[in-house]
């Protein structure tokens, strides 16, 4: 054997240095610094007969480093249950003995669980079985959506688990559908001209519910879809599909991987929005009882528009209560709602509007940004979204409440007339002071409601007194209402980006203002925003046209973009592998990477799936069950900080200590709530910057905000980061559960509706019929 002399010297040097370190108390049982030293690569410097050990600097970047980040290869669940048999296949769907397509579920909804696993829910299950038109057939071929739990093991090896019941178990005996003739003098026709009662396989779909993380880490899903044909006749394959909102609320418990029914809402809601309040109760707004034919026999006054009534869920009792009429408000579907630092709920003038044809007769009111005060159940109008004009400054601070038809009264009418007369001169004064420049014109066009847009709360920061009073919201892309045209809005998305700022002082809204940022590099519809642990915002997926107006004709956008809150500009980053437009999802993981999934489009032109990828359009060969993992540049580094220890639970106002291996370089700590999102919405999305109180070696002393309105109860991730020449570098997260006085009022789990024999059979039935539906 021929020895390499330099290699021999290197081994000798390594042995000598290890002995020397051991003699000085080094090694695994020594201090943190010495442990760090022994983990470094050693090399020798040879000078005559003297050999000395020197540490080879650890490379900052990994071999696969890219300043734009990178996407993994797509991966998907490997099996499908077909006619009771497990079939391993790379295909999306397999044909059953009945000639139907049994398909893998796509992540139209995704939630990061407290244990790091990912819960996801299917969307539009059954679309692959449409033969002629989804409008005519979906009431019959649709199926309650499946759920899955995805885990990543060593080297990102994925595994899947099927929860019980598979489809969340809603309405096993059929839904109490609000058909056109239900509760009318013509009730004898109820059931004769619709198919609402012909099957229970599509009476309680999870699709189009909203989801939210509870204080204990469970996931609450509220609303959803009851599919049927109306008009339609049992036994005939054609009719006109109806999508009715269901009243159910269901809770997924990660400890047992089970869905349990909780209390029903008063109103069935399709596309509602949920927000956790300061006391850990859950606020729900909007949704529609019937999408295609919004005629409500039991509530004629509200026919033709979305649900204006709001409700509150009590997790201690598992019940819902309707708020008084002062809490009513006309809002778009999936309204973009967020809780402000003072506990009010902010409506950011975004949602789903079904442009360009419209959704409700009163949707011009959706252009007005507003806040809801849970203490007195009242709304306050702030201004026409995106414009530098406060409505209360011109005497119209209660415009939307006055125009709400459910609040019609002589008093309200007189108030409106007085406001209009009193505000006319003020409005002219304000208008004369505006400088009508190009920038002002751009601002005006950017104003108003945005359809299919994200609404991202930027990190909350303490002021000089350590108080959290101001909140900033980033809105980018989506379909604008073009301000002066108000509603319904357009077809083509915008590239404009703006930040709305709300300043609070107790219950008072001190200021509302909007300012344009740098534009996106290209217009984007239905992009999913993710707030990253370095404080930036990434946008994933989406299309260049509205894929609901004309499904199948949108071009996909695979290129991600990154928003820098310091420069207020967008930069193009890496491109995804798969095209994902409608019902795409993206969720921040504890290691700072992003899980990207989804793509469940409506059938091409509302007919059947016709794939036009060869023409550069989005894939319409069915739903996409695959996932990709985006690795940002900071996660491609070898020098990320490491949180060595941190508390498991915290309360508002707590001071606490974390240990970090690079404590002297840590200058920012972010507490980020775990994402629970659907339809590019997570109303509870928030990040809180925690000020450093003191340092001592590897110990960093931090302080929680005093108010539960800043950090509502739930499961979070704690990231510590340092600033470098190449950008901010965050650690992997430490898991934190935030408890509040409200969340601790309940002993044990939220109360569940007592399971009936039928519900238990429904769960078994789901498992037995998994290969059929």
């Amino acid at each position: 054997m021929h020895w390499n002399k330099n290699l021999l010297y290197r081994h000798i040097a390594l042995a000598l240095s290890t002995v020397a370190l051991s003699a000085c108390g080094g090694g695994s049982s020594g201090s943190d610094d010495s442990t760090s030293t022994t983990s470094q690569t050693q090399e020798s410097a040879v000078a005559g007969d003297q050999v000395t050990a020197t540490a080879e600097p650890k490379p900052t970047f990994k071999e696969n480093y890219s300043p734009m980040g990178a996407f993994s290869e797509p991966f998907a669940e490997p099996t499908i249950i077909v006619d009771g048999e497990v079939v391993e296949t790379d295909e999306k769907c397999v044909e059953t003995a009945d000639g139907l397509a049994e398909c893998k579920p796509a992540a139209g909804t995704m939630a990061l669980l407290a244990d790091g696993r990912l819960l996801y829910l299917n969307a539009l299950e059954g679309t692959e079985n449409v033969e002629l038109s989804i409008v005519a057939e979906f009431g019959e071929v649709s199926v309650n959506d499946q759920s899955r739990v995805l885990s990543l093991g060593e080297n990102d090896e994925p595994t899947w688990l099927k929860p019980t019941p598979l489809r969340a178990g809603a309405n096993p005996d059929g839904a109490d559908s609000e058909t056109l003739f239900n509760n009318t003098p013509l009730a004898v026709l109820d059931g004769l001209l619709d198919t609402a009662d012909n099957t229970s396989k599509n009476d309680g779909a999870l699709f189009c519910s909203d989801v939210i993380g509870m204080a204990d880490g469970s996931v609450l899903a509220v609303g959803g879809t009851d599919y049927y044909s109306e008009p339609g006749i049992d036994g005939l394959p054609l009719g006109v599909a109806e999508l009715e909102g269901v009243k159910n609320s269901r809770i997924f418990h990660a400890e047992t991987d089970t869905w349990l029914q909780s209390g029903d809402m008063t109103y069935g809601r399709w596309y509602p929005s949920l927000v956790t309040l300061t006391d850990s109760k859950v606020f729900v707004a909007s949704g529609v009882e019937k999408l295609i034919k919004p005629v409500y026999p039991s509530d004629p006054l509200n026919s033709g528009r979305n649900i204006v009534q709001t409700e509150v869920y009590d997790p201690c009792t598992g019940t819902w209560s309707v708020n008084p009429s002062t809490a009513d408000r006309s809002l778009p579907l999936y309204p973009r709602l967020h809780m402000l630092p003072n506990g009010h709920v902010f409506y950011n003038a975004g949602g789903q509007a079904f442009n360009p044809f419209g959704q409700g007769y009163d949707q011009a009111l959706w252009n007005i940004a507003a806040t809801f005060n849970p203490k007195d159940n009242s709304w306050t109008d702030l201004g026409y979204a995106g414009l530098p004009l406060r409505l209360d400054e011109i005497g119209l601070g209660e415009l939307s409440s006055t125009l709400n038809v459910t609040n019609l009264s002589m008093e309200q009418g007189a108030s409106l007339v007085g406001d209009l007369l009193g505000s006319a001169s003020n409005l002219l004064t304000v208008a004369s002071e505006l400088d009508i420049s190009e920038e002002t014109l751009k601002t005006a066009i950017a104003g108003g409601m945005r359809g299919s847009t994200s609404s991202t709360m930027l990190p909350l920061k303490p002021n000089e007194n350590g108080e959290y009073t101001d909140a900033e919201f980033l809105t980018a892309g989506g379909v604008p209402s073009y301000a002066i045209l108000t509603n319904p809005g357009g077809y083509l998305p915008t590239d404009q980006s703006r930040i709305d700022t709300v300043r609070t002082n107790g219950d008072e809204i001190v200021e509302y203002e909007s300012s344009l940022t740098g534009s996106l590099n290209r217009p984007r519809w239905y992009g999913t925003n993710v707030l990253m642990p370095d404080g930036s915002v990434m946008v994933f997926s989406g299309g260049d046209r509205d894929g609901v107006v004309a499904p199948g004709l949108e071009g996909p956008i695979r290129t991600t973009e990154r928003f820098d809150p310091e420069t207020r500009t967008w930069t193009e980053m890496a491109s995804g592998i798969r095209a994902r437009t409608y019902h795409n999802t993206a969720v921040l993981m504890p290691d700072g990477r992003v899980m990207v999934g989804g793509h469940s489009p409506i059938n091409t032109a509302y007919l059947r799936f016709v794939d036009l990828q060869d023409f550069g359009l989005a894939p319409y060969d069915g739903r996409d069950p695959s996932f990709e993992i985006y690795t940002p540049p900071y996660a491609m580094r070898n020098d990320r900080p490491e949180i060595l220890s941190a508390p498991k639970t915290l309360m508002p106002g707590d001071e606490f200590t974390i240990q970090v291996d690079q404590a002297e370089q840590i200058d920012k700590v972010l507490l980020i709530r775990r994402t629970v999102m659907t339809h590019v919405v997570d109303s509870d999305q928030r990040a809180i910057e925690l000020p450093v109180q003191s340092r001592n070696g590897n110990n960093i002393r931090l302080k929680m905000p005093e108010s539960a309105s800043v950090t509502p109860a739930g499961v979070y991730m704690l990231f510590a980061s340092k600033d470098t020449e190449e950008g901010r570098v965050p650690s992997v997260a430490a898991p934190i559960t935030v408890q509040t006085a409200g969340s601790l009022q309940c002993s044990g789990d939220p109360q569940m509706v007592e399971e009936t024999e039928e519900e238990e059979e429904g769960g078994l039935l789901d498992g037995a019929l998994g290969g059929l539906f």
Side-chain angles (χ1 to χ4, degrees), residues 145-395:
D145 303 291
Q146 302 178 60
S147 58
R148 291 287 192 276
V149 176
L150 168 63
S151 302
L152 293 180
E154 190 175 354
N155 299 320
D156 291 334
E157 186 68 27
T159 56
W160 282 264
L161 178 145
K162 295 179 176 65
T164 304
L166 187 69
R167 304 173 195 273
N171 300 324
D173 298 323
D176 184 17
S177 306
E178 293 286 339
T179 57
L180 288 174
F181 298 108
N182 188 28
N183 298 322
T184 70
L186 297 175
V188 67
L189 297 176
D190 184 32
L192 296 179
L193 298 180
D194 63 74
T195 64
D197 298 326
N198 73 339
T199 179
S200 61
K201 70 178 184 182
N202 56 5
D203 282 344
L206 283 163
F207 175 60
C208 301
S209 64
D210 194 19
V211 288
I212 197 169
M214 303 289 284
D216 64 352
S218 58
V219 175
L220 174 70
V222 171
T225 313
D226 171 15
Y227 297 102
Y228 52 89
S229 293
E230 185 182 34
I233 300 176
D234 286 354
L236 295 182
L238 299 178
V240 178
E242 183 56 85
L243 289 74
E244 182 177 327
V246 300
K247 300 175 182 179
N248 300 74
S249 59
R250 294 161 266 186
I251 297 180
F252 176 79
H253 292 267
E255 297 85 355
T256 57
D257 295 314
T258 56
W259 289 96
L260 293 176
Q261 297 289 313
S262 192
D264 286 350
M265 295 178 291
T266 300
Y267 297 91
R269 299 177 189 264
W270 186 90
Y271 272 35
S273 286
L274 304 171
V275 183
T276 299
L277 300 176
T278 303
D279 58 5
S280 294
K281 294 181 180 179
V282 178
F283 174 80
V284 65
S286 191
V288 68
E289 288 190 272
K290 294 179 68 175
L291 176 67
I292 310 299
K293 298 169 284 294
V295 177
Y296 313 135
S298 60
D299 191 10
L301 189 60
N302 280 316
S303 295
R305 64 176 181 163
N306 299 336
I307 298 167
V308 297
Q309 292 85 359
T310 62
E311 302 183 52
V312 172
Y313 176 77
D314 186 342
C316 295
T317 62
T319 58
W320 292 87
S321 57
V322 179
N323 288 323
S325 62
T326 54
D328 292 357
R329 189 175 184 90
S330 178
L331 295 166
L333 298 177
Y334 277 131
R336 284 21 174 185
L337 303 175
H338 304 268
M339 187 167 68
L340 294 172
N342 66 349
H344 293 199
V345 176
F346 175 56
Y347 164 58
N348 201 21
Q352 303 303 116
F354 294 98
N355 298 330
F357 309 111
Q359 168 67 24
Y361 62 79
D362 58 355
Q363 64 188 52
L365 298 175
W366 301 349
N367 293 292
I368 299 174
T371 61
F372 171 73
N373 186 349
K375 294 179 182 177
D376 60 12
N377 288 298
S378 67
W379 288 90
T380 299
D381 295 336
L382 298 182
Y384 195 97
L387 299 186
L389 179 65
R390 281 283 300 272
L391 288 177
D392 59 357
E393 293 175 351
I394 58 172

Side-chain angles (χ1 to χ4, degrees), residues 29 33 35 73 77-78 104 119 197 201 225 228 267 296 373 410 498 503 510 539 560 619 650 652 684 694 710 728 772:
S29 61
D33 290 340
T35 302
E73 287 298 317
E77 188 176 11
K104 300 174 182 178
L119 170 71
D197 298 326
K201 70 178 184 182
T225 313
Y228 52 89
Y267 297 91
Y296 313 135
N373 186 349
M410 291 294 293
R498 75 170 191 250
R503 296 187 173 90
V510 177
V539 61
T560 62
L650 290 169
D684 273 357
S694 62
V710 181
R728 184 161 292 281
L772 296 178

Side-chain angles (χ1 to χ4, degrees), residues 561-757:
E561 295 196 38
R562 178 183 183 272
F563 179 76
D564 185 334
E566 300 298 326
T567 63
R568 301 206 165 191
T569 57
W570 291 89
T571 302
E572 289 189 328
M573 303 293 281
S575 294
I577 311 299
R578 295 282 178 85
R580 306 177 190 275
T581 57
Y582 203 27
H583 302 126
N584 70 80
T585 49
V587 168
L588 177 68
M589 298 193 295
D591 61 7
R593 298 181 300 167
V594 179
M595 181 69 77
V596 179
H599 181 62
S600 299
I602 302 167
N603 299 59
T604 309
Y606 288 93
L607 300 174
R608 58 178 298 174
F609 279 130
V610 179
D611 194 23
L612 303 174
Q613 288 187 75
D614 292 343
F615 297 93
L617 301 178
Y620 270 66
D621 56 347
R623 295 164 298 130
D624 190 340
S626 73
F627 296 87
E628 302 166 55
I629 300 175
Y630 172 72
T631 302
Y634 60 68
M636 297 177 169
R637 297 177 64 127
N638 290 314
D639 63 340
R640 296 180 68 180
E642 180 182 356
I643 298 178
L644 305 174
S645 66
K648 297 297 183 183
T649 59
L650 290 169
M651 294 277 291
D654 279 353
E655 287 199 20
F656 64 101
T657 298
I658 63 172
Q659 286 190 333
V660 189
D661 68 344
Q662 302 175 41
E664 72 284 351
Q665 300 181 56
I666 300 301
D667 61 346
K668 185 173 292 187
V669 177
L670 276 185
L671 187 64
I672 300 181
R673 192 176 177 94
R674 292 182 180 235
T675 307
V676 181
M677 64 89 64
T678 187
H679 294 71
V680 305
V681 178
D682 177 6
S683 293
D684 273 357
Q685 171 267 316
R686 65 206 300 113
I688 305 95
E689 189 172 313
L690 303 181
V692 174
Q693 303 295 306
S694 62
R695 304 170 191 269
N696 181 12
N698 284 344
N699 298 321
I700 297 179
R701 191 75 173 165
L702 303 167
K703 189 176 189 304
M704 286 284 287
E706 295 286 346
S707 172
S709 302
V710 181
T711 52
V715 290
Y716 290 74
M717 299 177 288
L718 187 76
F719 293 91
S721 65
K722 63 180 181 180
D723 203 11
T724 70
E725 292 182 0
E726 296 82 13
R728 184 161 292 281
V729 181
S731 65
V732 171
I736 300 284
T737 296
V738 174
Q739 298 176 334
T740 64
S743 70
L744 293 175
Q745 287 179 355
C746 301
S747 57
D749 292 332
Q751 297 296 309
M752 299 298 152
V753 174
E754 187 173 330
E755 288 191 4
T756 65
E757 183 178 350

